[in-house]
Amino acid sequence: MNNVRTNRMAGLMLAMGMVSCNLVAEETTKKAEAVKAEPSVNEIEVGFSYLSDDAYRFGRFNGMTDDGAYIIGDVRAKAHTENGDFWRLRGTNLGLDSQYLMFQAGTQGAHSLSLEYDQLPDYENDTGVTPFLGAGGTHLRLPAGYDPDTAVFDISDPKNFTSELPADLDRFLLPFDQETERKRLKLGARLFFKSRWELDGSFQQETKRGTDWIGSSMGPAEEEAIMLKTTGALLPEPVDFETNKMHAALRYHGKQTQWDFSYRGSLFSNKDDSLTWQDPFDLDRTGRLALEPDNQMHQLSAAVGHTLSATNRLTGLLSVSRLTQDDDFLPFNTSTSVDDLPRRSLDGEVWLYKGQVKLTSRPMPKLRLSAKYDYDERDNNTPTATYYYYIADGIPGELPNKAWPKDNDPLSYQRHQFNLSANYRFNTKMGLRGGYKYQQIDRDSEDQERETTREQSLTLKWSLRALEELEVDVYGEHTRRRGSTYETRRDENPAMRTFYLADVDRNKLGASFYYMPTSRLSLGLTGEYLDDDYTDSALGLTEAEQVSLLLDASYQISERISSHAFYTHEAFKSSNAGAQDKFLTTPDWSAELEDTIDSAGLGFNFNQFLDRWDLGADLVYTRSRGKIHMINNTINPSSGDSIADPDDPTQQFPDLETSLTSLQLWTRYRYSDTISYRFSYWYEDFSSEDWTVDDLEADSVDHLLLLGEDRLDYTQHVVGLSVNVRF
């Protein structure tokens, strides 16, 4: 079956492509009169797929999670009349949880209406367990008979602390599926006027419902033991979201000037405002946390394009957006009331302003120039107040004795960006393109370590058609970021640097080759290298590099047989440094992270390999590996030896590995000009090694209640049969 996202994009493009944005009134009338009724090529495909095994991960985004048969249908139909009336229908994966359906009708050059329905599941895991009753709801409680061991704590001996889950925890564990499902319904309309104007509007409602998971913590009664006695639990989280989006646009299509006035709105609501749970380590305590708050966004924009001359064009854009969030606060914790709050709600308000102007020019037949300026401003008008921050629920006492005061610091900023580019074509075989970019961001926030950052980039690309059969592109880019004085946040290590604010020198080199020695054979090779050097970061991310390689080939063996193959390699490396003591400005540990992804595939199509039979096959293999190499630079004063040996496996994280093998075979029998049958076989094998879940039970980690999930390895066989009717 086709990927639902690809089908959705194709459906939207099909719907939007019915009417050109450049139609004018006089042309519209003439074209509508000239429309001829064209023969329709409609298709309906109905069939079934049979799965050999249950495989939750296999069906994560298509809904086919259980063994057995699934009815699946696709439809593609359209009709046009001589007077310009038309309709179109497109449906994919009908019968699955990942189905899509679109219908559009109207009169070409006059008006159209469209209706879309889209469904997308996300079945994340079905192996999780929890002792809580009411999973998927907002109040989690523990069952009768659940009896955790009594917590013991001696402040004079912090290590003498026990807070254990029940010894017979397993008998209370209940399974729950981590799964959500999105459903989207969209209604659109478009109206054309005879005076070059067009009105376009749509309304979309999207719901997301299901159960996810969220982390929680419960603090101790003794403030001094906050880091020693805090317990945590992973909880089933209810998901019940609704998002309504509105869009309206008024457009003018002149010969030299075009206008676009638009409104966009988004209203998000969460049916559940909080999640309450009984402490699995102490039944006398209750925790509560806030869930995603309701919020809104409204935007007005205006865009203009004007052709100054045959070789010059000017475009501009202005927009203003208002974002608000005004849900009522919860109390600081379950032992206080809302009367202790400095405000009843955030009363959050953010204004976003955007402006853009762009000039493109062709002063010479071989030279193209472009200049663009972008302005972005975030004006955060959210009120500031002092909040007494509780690390976790369960800390009793009167405010502010048992909490830490913290003022919220709304972030505002202004961003200026200039882009200059030039493209010169020396002749039909060689061209040169270059560009310069300058970006400056000025931040207004006490919590931001750097008030101003300035980033400059230079790019250069050389294109050459060395031979009639060979095309070569070589490109490079250098970026440099600097800024105002870096001031670390309070209680942070003064040598720590945040990567997106830190000084960095970035270099990128790349090349691509396309070779077509014959009309039947084409070969492609693309490689790219990226290096980031954080020049002033003693702690934090200090260096990163990325290497990518792509090889692809296609060969038309004969008029009826075509083949293709590809190989990709991606490697990501980064170096990180840290210090256990926040006053130590030189690193006492470091970590080298390395991720590699390799993919290879090949396939072929054989049309009419027998009289009425077509045949095809695709094989894809992907393997990924993640490595974390820890190095402890701390020296034991008495022995002079490193406390942790980097070559000792017990001091290292295990590797993360995944592999996927997918083989698809199909054949089609053309029974007649209008009816064909398709038989398919799909084999897929997925395996992983993941230390974050391997051999971890719900109580494997002290003072934590986990989900006890398993790896979702699977081997799946899928057999399909369908009939396609064209009419």
Side-chain angles (χ1 to χ4, degrees), residues 228-246:
L228 296 171
K229 201 180 172 185
T230 295
T231 60
L234 300 184
L235 310 174
E237 178 192 10
V239 177
D240 195 348
F241 303 157
E242 181 178 303
T243 305
N244 294 305
K245 295 182 179 180
M246 298 79 69

Side-chain angles (χ1 to χ4, degrees), residues 580-596:
Q580 300 178 64
D581 189 333
K582 69 179 181 180
F583 299 107
L584 184 64
T585 57
T586 56
D588 59 10
W589 65 267
S590 59
E592 304 291 330
L593 280 67
E594 181 178 355
D595 297 314
T596 58

Side-chain angles (χ1 to χ4, degrees), residues 560 606-615 667-668:
R560 294 185 296 165
F606 193 165
N607 294 326
Q608 295 181 342
F609 80 101
L610 291 176
D611 183 26
R612 293 175 176 268
W613 292 86
D614 299 333
L615 184 68
T667 183
R668 179 170 53 237

Side-chain angles (χ1 to χ4, degrees), residues 333-363:
N333 69 1
T334 52
S335 63
T336 59
S337 70
V338 292
D339 295 333
D340 297 314
L341 296 169
R343 302 181 55 85
R344 290 303 178 97
S345 71
L346 179 68
D347 195 19
E349 181 186 60
V350 177
W351 289 85
L352 302 177
Y353 305 95
K354 181 177 178 61
Q356 182 190 98
V357 59
K358 181 178 180 180
L359 176 64
T360 56
S361 178
R362 195 178 70 225

Side-chain angles (χ1 to χ4, degrees), residues 20 119 146 154 157 213 266 272 279 309 323 389 500 506 573 605 631 639 649 662 719:
S20 168
Q119 194 171 325
Y146 182 97
D154 183 357
D157 184 11
W213 65 268
S266 176
D272 305 316
D279 185 2
S309 65
L323 290 71
Y389 174 62
Y500 62 86
R506 172 175 297 169
K573 296 181 180 180
N605 289 309
I631 302 173
S639 65
S662 179
V719 178

Side-chain angles (χ1 to χ4, degrees), residues 8 184-185 328 363 388 483 551 568 636:
R8 184 188 311 147
R184 181 175 66 94
L185 184 65
D328 289 341
Y388 291 98
L551 295 167
T568 64
N636 189 320

Side-chain angles (χ1 to χ4, degrees), residues 111-154:
H111 57 80
S112 68
L113 291 172
S114 63
L115 182 66
E116 288 182 79
Y117 175 76
D118 192 12
Q119 194 171 325
L120 182 64
D122 184 1
Y123 299 152
E124 185 176 352
N125 201 302
D126 66 341
T127 65
V129 292
T130 181
F132 290 105
L133 303 177
T138 58
H139 291 80
L140 302 176
R141 64 189 188 282
L142 293 164
Y146 182 97
D147 185 18
D149 290 351
T150 304
V152 177
F153 183 76
D154 183 357

Side-chain angles (χ1 to χ4, degrees), residues 172-410:
F172 298 104
L173 295 178
L174 302 171
F176 82 97
D177 295 343
Q178 302 162 43
E179 61 179 36
T180 59
E181 186 174 63
R182 293 179 184 268
K183 294 182 179 180
R184 181 175 66 94
L185 184 65
K186 183 178 181 180
L187 177 65
R190 180 172 288 184
L191 180 63
F192 290 85
F193 301 97
K194 293 184 178 180
S195 55
R196 303 177 184 265
W197 289 91
E198 170 195 348
L199 184 62
D200 183 11
S202 65
F203 174 80
Q204 173 183 305
Q205 183 178 86
E206 178 180 286
T207 60
K208 180 180 179 182
R209 296 189 171 95
T211 305
D212 207 338
W213 65 268
I214 192 170
S216 68
S217 62
M218 295 292 290
E222 300 82 4
E223 178 182 342
E224 298 83 353
I226 189 67
M227 300 304 295
L228 296 171
K229 201 180 172 185
T230 295
T231 60
L234 300 184
L235 310 174
E237 178 192 10
V239 177
D240 195 348
F241 303 157
E242 181 178 303
T243 305
N244 294 305
K245 295 182 179 180
M246 298 79 69
H247 173 239
L250 180 63
R251 302 184 181 96
Y252 172 76
H253 308 288
K255 293 182 178 180
Q256 284 188 293
T257 305
Q258 299 80 41
W259 289 93
D260 186 313
F261 303 96
S262 297
Y263 163 77
R264 295 182 184 274
S266 176
L267 285 72
F268 171 83
S269 63
N270 187 353
K271 181 181 177 182
D272 305 316
D273 60 355
S274 66
L275 177 63
T276 302
W277 73 98
Q278 195 173 5
D279 185 2
F281 294 90
D282 187 345
L283 299 184
D284 293 331
R285 304 198 304 173
T286 300
R288 181 175 55 209
L289 54 82
L291 300 177
E292 292 84 345
D294 297 354
N295 58 80
Q296 297 186 17
M297 187 280 294
H298 301 274
Q299 181 189 78
L300 293 174
S301 65
V304 61
H306 181 69
T307 302
L308 302 173
S309 65
T311 58
N312 297 282
R313 181 168 174 81
L314 183 67
T315 60
L317 169 70
L318 291 173
S319 72
V320 57
S321 307
R322 182 175 182 260
L323 290 71
T324 57
Q325 191 272 96
D326 196 25
D327 266 11
D328 289 341
F329 282 142
L330 298 176
F332 282 122
N333 69 1
T334 52
S335 63
T336 59
S337 70
V338 292
D339 295 333
D340 297 314
L341 296 169
R343 302 181 55 85
R344 290 303 178 97
S345 71
L346 179 68
D347 195 19
E349 181 186 60
V350 177
W351 289 85
L352 302 177
Y353 305 95
K354 181 177 178 61
Q356 182 190 98
V357 59
K358 181 178 180 180
L359 176 64
T360 56
S361 178
R362 195 178 70 225
M364 301 164 47
K366 296 183 177 182
L367 178 64
R368 295 179 182 271
L369 301 175
S370 174
K372 185 175 71 167
Y373 169 69
D374 286 279
Y375 174 78
D376 290 283
E377 181 179 350
R378 174 189 173 95
D379 184 13
N380 196 333
N381 295 326
T382 302
T384 300
T386 300
Y387 299 88
Y388 291 98
Y389 174 62
Y390 278 75
I391 290 182
D393 269 321
I395 303 178
E398 297 179 358
L399 297 173
N401 297 334
K402 299 295 181 179
W404 293 264
K406 174 66 177 177
D407 290 352
N408 65 307
D409 187 24

